[in-house]
Amino acid sequence: MEYISSVKLNEAGDKLVILDQTLLPRETVYIELDAIEDVWEAIKKLRVRGAPAIGIAAAYGLYLGIKNIKTESFEDFYKIFKEKLDYLASSRPTAVNLFWALKRMDERANKEKHKRIDEIKKALLDEAEKIRGEDEEVCYKIGEHGLSLLKRGMGLLTHCNAGAIATARYGTALSPMYLGQERGYDFKVYADETRPLLQGARLTAWELIQAGIDVTLICDNMASIVMSEKKIDAVLVGCDRVAANGDTANKIGTSGVAILAKEYSIPFYVCAPMSTIDLSTKTGDDIVIEQRNADEVTAFWGQSHAPDGIKVYNPAFDVTKAKYITAIITEKGVVYPPYGENLVKLFE
C-alpha cells in the first residue's frame, strides 16, 4: 500500500513541498514554499493541517526563514531567529505541536550557539528532519497500540482527519486502520463529514479510498443513528492538545461524538502523540480555542448559503471531557483513567 507524503523538504533543501489540502478531493496539487510568510499562510489557511503536520511544516518553515541570514554573530542571528519563530507561532494558537516543534528548534539553536552560524543552520535543518522522521515512527507505534484494541471486521467511526496527510505518515487515528488494511482486518470505516470545512468528506474519505479501505461518508448529525444501528464498535479520533487531566481539544464536533459513544457504550479512543500532551495545561478549560472566519460557515466553494450579515459563531475546536474518553493511545502505550495520574507516568 502506497502512503501519501503531505509535507517534506525538496531534494535541494531549499523549499517546503506540501499537499494543498484545501484543494482536495477535486485536485491533488503539491505546492513549493520557499518563504516563511508562505509557510505561515499555508498553516493559517489549512493548506497544511493536522497537529503533527503543522509541527513539521513549522520546523521546516523556520529553517527556511533563517537559512539566508547573513551574520557571524550568534546574538544577531538569534534575534532574527526568535522574531521568525514568534511569527510562525502566531499562525494557529490551539495546536500544541506547533509550539512543541518550534521549542525544539529553539533548544537546538541554543545548544549549538558556540558553533559557526553555518553549522547552526545545518543543525536546525537536522532537527527539522528529525521531527519529521520521529513523527513517522510515532504514528506507526500509535497504530500498533491502537490495533491491539480492535478486532477483525469492526465498524469504526472517525471525526475530522487524523490520517497520513495530517502527519509524516500513517496518521494517528487512521494509523490502526492503515495497519489493519495491510493485515486483512477488513474494517468498515464511517467518516463524519466534519463541518464546516468538511475535512472528513474532503480528506479522510479521500485518503481512505486511495488506500482501498472500506469507508462510508456520513453527515455529522448521523453519528447517533449509525451507533444505534450497531454499525459502530469503536470511535477513533486524533487531537490537537491533551490537558493534564485528560481533557482533549480536537476539531469542532468531537465532544458530541464522545457523548454519543458514552450513551451507546461504545469505546471512544483518542490517538495522541506525546507531543500533544501538555501537562502545563491543567484542564480543557485552559485551552485557547481558535475562532475562525464567518465565511467558513456561511459559504463553501465560493457560494454563499446564508443571509447576508448573519451573526456567526465559528470555533475551530471543542474540548472533550476526560470522563467521555475510554483511553488515550500514545506511542508509549495505551493510557487509561485516572488520566491525572497516568499521563504524568508517561514522562517519568
Side-chain angles (χ1 to χ4, degrees), residues 146-156 185-187 233:
L147 194 59
S148 72
L149 302 173
L150 307 175
K151 296 179 181 179
R152 295 177 184 273
M154 271 188 165
L156 307 176
Y185 270 61
D186 193 30
F187 291 135
D233 298 297

Side-chain angles (χ1 to χ4, degrees), residues 158-224:
T158 190
H159 186 79
C160 196
N161 175 260
I165 62 176
T167 63
R169 191 179 181 188
Y170 300 109
T172 54
L174 299 195
S175 184
M177 301 175 194
Y178 280 124
L179 297 185
Q181 177 71 1
E182 291 178 352
R183 301 169 193 181
Y185 270 61
D186 193 30
F187 291 135
K188 312 298 182 187
V189 180
Y190 288 81
D192 283 346
E193 62 181 354
T194 319
R195 296 198 177 200
L197 290 178
L198 305 180
Q199 288 102 323
R202 294 189 300 107
L203 307 178
T204 296
W206 176 80
E207 67 168 279
L208 292 181
I209 285 174
Q210 302 299 308
I213 294 174
D214 184 336
V215 56
T216 300
L217 179 66
I218 62 173
C219 297
D220 293 2
N221 56 8
M222 297 174 185
S224 178

Side-chain angles (χ1 to χ4, degrees), residues 5 17 76-77 83 95 111 123 127 145 152 166 181 185 204 212 245 255 257 310:
S5 180
V17 182
D76 293 342
F77 172 85
E83 289 173 354
K111 181 180 178 181
E127 193 67 25
H145 292 306
R152 295 177 184 273
Q181 177 71 1
Y185 270 61
T204 296
N245 72 333
S255 65
V257 176
I310 186 69

Side-chain angles (χ1 to χ4, degrees), residues 329-344:
I329 305 169
T330 78
E331 66 267 33
K332 287 191 174 182
V334 181
V335 183
Y336 294 97
Y339 297 116
E341 296 177 15
N342 293 334
L343 286 173
V344 174

Side-chain angles (χ1 to χ4, degrees), residues 6-109:
S6 65
V7 53
K8 63 182 180 181
L9 213 59
N10 67 354
E11 290 185 6
D14 59 358
K15 292 181 181 179
L16 178 64
V17 182
I18 67 165
L19 174 64
D20 189 343
Q21 296 187 39
T22 64
L23 301 178
L24 291 172
R26 295 183 176 184
E27 297 179 79
T28 304
V29 176
Y30 289 87
I31 58 176
E32 293 187 339
L33 312 174
D34 58 6
I36 192 171
E37 292 81 8
D38 294 332
V39 177
W40 186 95
E41 190 269 353
I43 295 172
K44 183 68 176 179
K45 298 295 184 180
L46 302 177
R47 299 187 195 283
V48 58
R49 47 146 300 283
I54 287 172
I56 295 165
Y60 281 134
L62 184 56
Y63 165 72
L64 293 175
I66 59 88
K67 71 182 182 67
N68 292 322
I69 295 175
K70 305 294 185 184
T71 181
E72 294 302 321
S73 164
F74 177 79
E75 288 72 20
D76 293 342
F77 172 85
Y78 189 69
K79 180 181 179 182
I80 300 171
F81 172 88
K82 279 291 288 180
E83 289 173 354
K84 294 184 180 295
L85 185 153
D86 292 341
Y87 170 67
L88 280 173
S90 69
S91 58
R92 297 292 301 275
T94 304
V96 72
N97 286 63
L98 172 67
F99 304 97
W100 170 83
L102 293 174
K103 182 182 178 183
R104 275 188 58 165
M105 295 291 279
D106 189 23
E107 290 173 347
R108 185 66 183 269

